[in-house]
């Protein structure tokens, strides 16, 4: 029995000190000291020991148990220390290393151009109004004198939203905001309405199925074409510089009469003609006109008493011109290396 005890003790100590993980150590502890462990089993066979020997053998077993437990505890502490040191070594932080910089975004050229346009018109007493991107056919077309058979309504141009009535669409222009504003019945009106518009166009250097317009509308008593000219000339000078000249070319829009397109003198060559203005010395920037009496009328405004003017600006066009960008696609890719330049 004594020899067996010695054998268990030695085996236990060598096994314990050979352990390299807490799980393994626990396995060894159970195999020796557990309910069915070797030492526990040995204790159970005390009944075979002669009665007078039992106290002595019992003491020996208890001593061996105490020693094994002590070794176990010590090894556990030692092992934890080694593991902790290894972990600290692995997780060491070099506080002198430069930190990773968070990538900062940048304002988009469209945003910068829009803020500039808003600043100019707000300075002239205009209100900035927001319209809805999903619109009824009535506001996008019909109220603006664009009847059902008008080519602009061709399904190739307009994205329709599937609906029971079939008259819901993604607005193709911001001009519908004019009608909404007039329907509110609060006069006079002096507003601009920037926003996204949608057309079923292929993407290329000058087209996109989604782009931005800025609508403008003024309705009051005694508004004339002279007010329109003065306002837009002032706008062009504020945006492109004091020396900018403005030209009004007759044009047609269904919802204005008379209508015009506005060109500004090329700010690159001053009007002499260059690559930028394609040799003409002029660059087109917007469409405009006097609000058609019928549009005023269907929107609840008496055209005998009130008159107004409207204009529509393509925001991308302004951004491309101002920052001399030659491909519209660059505006939609949102490559931060491109955006950072503005
Ligand atoms: N809605 C027109 C377009 O998308 C632009 C426009 C032209 C708006 C003349 C106007 C305007 O308010 O008076 O082509």
């Amino acid at each position: 029995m004594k020899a067996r005890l010695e054998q268990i003790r030695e085996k236990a100590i060598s096994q314990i000190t050979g352990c390299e993980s807490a799980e393994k150590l626990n396995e060894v502890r159970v195999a020796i000291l557990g309910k069915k462990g070797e030492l526990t089993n040995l204790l159970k066979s005390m009944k075979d020991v002669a009665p007078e020997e039992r106290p002595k053998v019992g003491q020996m077993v208890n001593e061996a148990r105490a020693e094994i437990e002590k070794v176990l505890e010590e090894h556990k502490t030692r092992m934890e220390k080694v593991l902790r040191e290894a972990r600290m070594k692995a997780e060491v932080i070099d506080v002198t290393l430069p930190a990773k910089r968070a990538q900062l975004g940048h304002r988009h050229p469209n945003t910068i151009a829009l803020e500039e346009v808003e600043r100019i018109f707000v300075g002239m007493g205009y209100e900035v109004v927001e319209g809805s991107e999903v619109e009824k056919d009535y506001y996008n077309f019909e109220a603006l004198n664009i009847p059902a058979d008008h080519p602009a309504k061709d399904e190739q141009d307009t994205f329709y939203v599937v609906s029971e009535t079939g008259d819901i669409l993604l607005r193709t222009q911001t001009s519908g905001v004019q009608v909404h504003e007039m329907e509110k019945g609060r006069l006079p009106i002096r507003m601009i309405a920037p926003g996204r518009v949608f057309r079923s166009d292929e993407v290329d250097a000058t087209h996109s199925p989604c782009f931005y317009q800025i609508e403008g509308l003024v309705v009051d008593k005694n508004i004339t074409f002279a007010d329109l000219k003065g306002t837009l000339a002032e706008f062009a000078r504020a945006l492109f510089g004091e020396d900018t000249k403005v030209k009004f070319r007759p044009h047609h829009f269904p919802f204005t009469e008379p209508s015009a397109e506005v060109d500004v003198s090329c700010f690159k060559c001053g009007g002499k003609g260059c690559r930028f203005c394609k040799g003409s010395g002029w660059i087109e920037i917007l469409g405009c006109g006097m609000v058609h009496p019928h549009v005023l009328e269907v929107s609840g405004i008496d055209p005998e008493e009130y008159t107004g003017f409207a204009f529509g600006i393509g925001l991308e066009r302004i951004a491309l011109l101002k920052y001399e960008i030659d491909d519209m696609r660059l505006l939609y890719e949102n490559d931060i290396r491109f955006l950072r330049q503005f």
Side-chain angles (χ1 to χ4, degrees):
M1 177 117 186
K2 202 174 157 191
R4 174 88 188 102
L5 184 63
E6 187 53 29
Q7 202 187 11
I8 291 174
R9 197 186 67 88
E10 269 176 24
K11 189 174 127 198
I13 290 174
S14 101
Q15 277 185 351
I16 289 167
T17 48
C19 279
E20 282 180 4
S21 73
E23 292 85 45
K24 197 85 199 132
L25 198 65
N26 196 42
E27 275 172 29
V28 173
R29 190 183 61 75
V30 171
I32 298 160
L33 305 175
K35 261 194 202 152
K36 290 179 182 156
E38 288 184 53
L39 200 67
T40 319
N41 283 343
L42 191 71
L43 218 48
K44 281 181 195 155
S45 57
M46 280 285 272
K47 58 183 186 307
D48 305 331
V49 176
E52 64 278 14
E53 292 273 318
R54 276 184 203 162
K56 205 163 146 238
V57 175
Q59 198 194 349
M60 275 164 58
V61 173
N62 281 340
E63 275 169 12
R65 188 183 179 90
E67 191 187 350
I68 292 169
E69 276 174 351
K70 189 165 157 252
V71 172
L72 204 92
E73 213 35 58
E74 280 170 3
H75 187 69
K76 195 169 156 208
T77 313
R78 197 162 47 240
M79 215 171 59
E80 279 170 356
K81 192 169 161 231
V82 170
L83 284 176
R84 194 170 53 242
E85 276 168 6
R87 205 177 58 226
M88 303 237 291
K89 215 165 169 181
E91 289 176 1
V92 77
I93 294 169
D94 181 353
V95 291
T96 64
L97 279 177
K100 270 193 199 151
R101 276 175 186 244
Q103 277 257 10
L104 275 188
H106 193 279
R107 283 196 311 165
H108 194 279
N110 267 358
T111 310
I112 305 173
L114 176 58
E115 285 176 0
E116 176 83 11
V117 171
E118 285 182 349
R119 193 183 57 73
I120 295 168
F121 281 107
V122 168
M124 292 198 249
Y126 284 59
E127 193 186 345
V128 180
V129 171
E130 218 174 298
S132 164
E133 290 174 0
V134 179
E135 187 57 282
K136 279 198 166 158
D137 184 290
Y138 176 77
Y139 290 97
N140 195 76
F141 293 125
E142 214 176 305
L144 295 168
N145 289 341
I146 305 173
D149 55 359
H150 196 281
K153 287 190 70 174
D154 197 306
E155 280 181 37
Q156 278 190 349
D157 297 323
T158 309
F159 287 117
Y160 281 88
V161 175
V162 177
S163 68
E164 269 174 35
T165 44
D167 67 340
I168 313 279
L169 45 80
L170 298 184
R171 65 178 175 188
T172 60
Q173 50 183 358
T174 45
S175 301
V177 185
Q178 290 187 31
V179 181
H180 284 289
E181 275 309 292
M182 290 191 277
E183 279 184 350
K184 287 181 187 166
R186 282 197 307 256
L187 292 164
I189 297 168
R190 223 173 264 111
M191 69 106 194
I192 56 168
R196 260 193 296 216
V197 301
F198 306 85
R199 287 181 201 178
S200 164
D201 274 333
E202 293 294 331
V203 176
D204 65 25
T206 53
H207 291 86
S208 161
C210 167
F211 55 99
Y212 285 81
Q213 287 187 336
I214 305 164
E215 193 72 21
L217 176 69
V218 171
V219 180
D220 202 349
K221 287 178 178 158
N222 304 317
I223 296 289
T224 67
F225 203 91
D227 297 306
L228 164 63
K229 278 185 79 175
T231 303
L232 294 179
E234 182 54 35
F235 164 68
R237 283 193 291 268
L239 192 63
F240 295 111
E242 267 310 305
D243 299 333
T244 309
K245 289 191 201 62
V246 185
K247 181 164 77 175
F248 286 74
R249 266 186 298 107
H251 199 76
H252 170 77
F253 295 106
F255 40 88
T256 45
E257 181 57 37
S259 306
E261 275 187 340
V262 174
D263 298 345
V264 290
S265 54
C266 179
F267 44 82
K268 195 90 176 138
C269 64
K272 285 196 282 290
C274 68
R275 200 179 57 88
F276 209 67
C277 54
K278 298 194 182 76
S280 74
W282 295 96
I283 297 171
E284 181 205 321
I285 60 159
L286 56 86
C288 62
M290 299 304 290
V291 181
H292 196 292
H294 186 248
V295 176
L296 289 171
E297 205 169 350
V298 297
S299 307
I301 294 173
D302 182 357
E304 297 296 329
E305 198 181 348
Y306 285 93
T307 49
F309 67 79
F311 54 90
I313 306 169
L315 179 61
E316 279 82 355
R317 194 161 169 73
I318 301 292
L320 296 180
L321 286 172
K322 241 186 128 51
Y323 302 113
E324 299 183 23
I325 304 165
D326 58 7
D327 192 328
M328 193 159 153
R329 284 168 289 200
L330 289 165
L331 291 179
Y332 303 116
E333 284 164 2
N334 286 331
D335 185 329
I336 190 76
R337 292 168 301 179
F338 166 76
L339 298 180
R340 271 218 192 95
Q341 302 172 63
F342 306 102

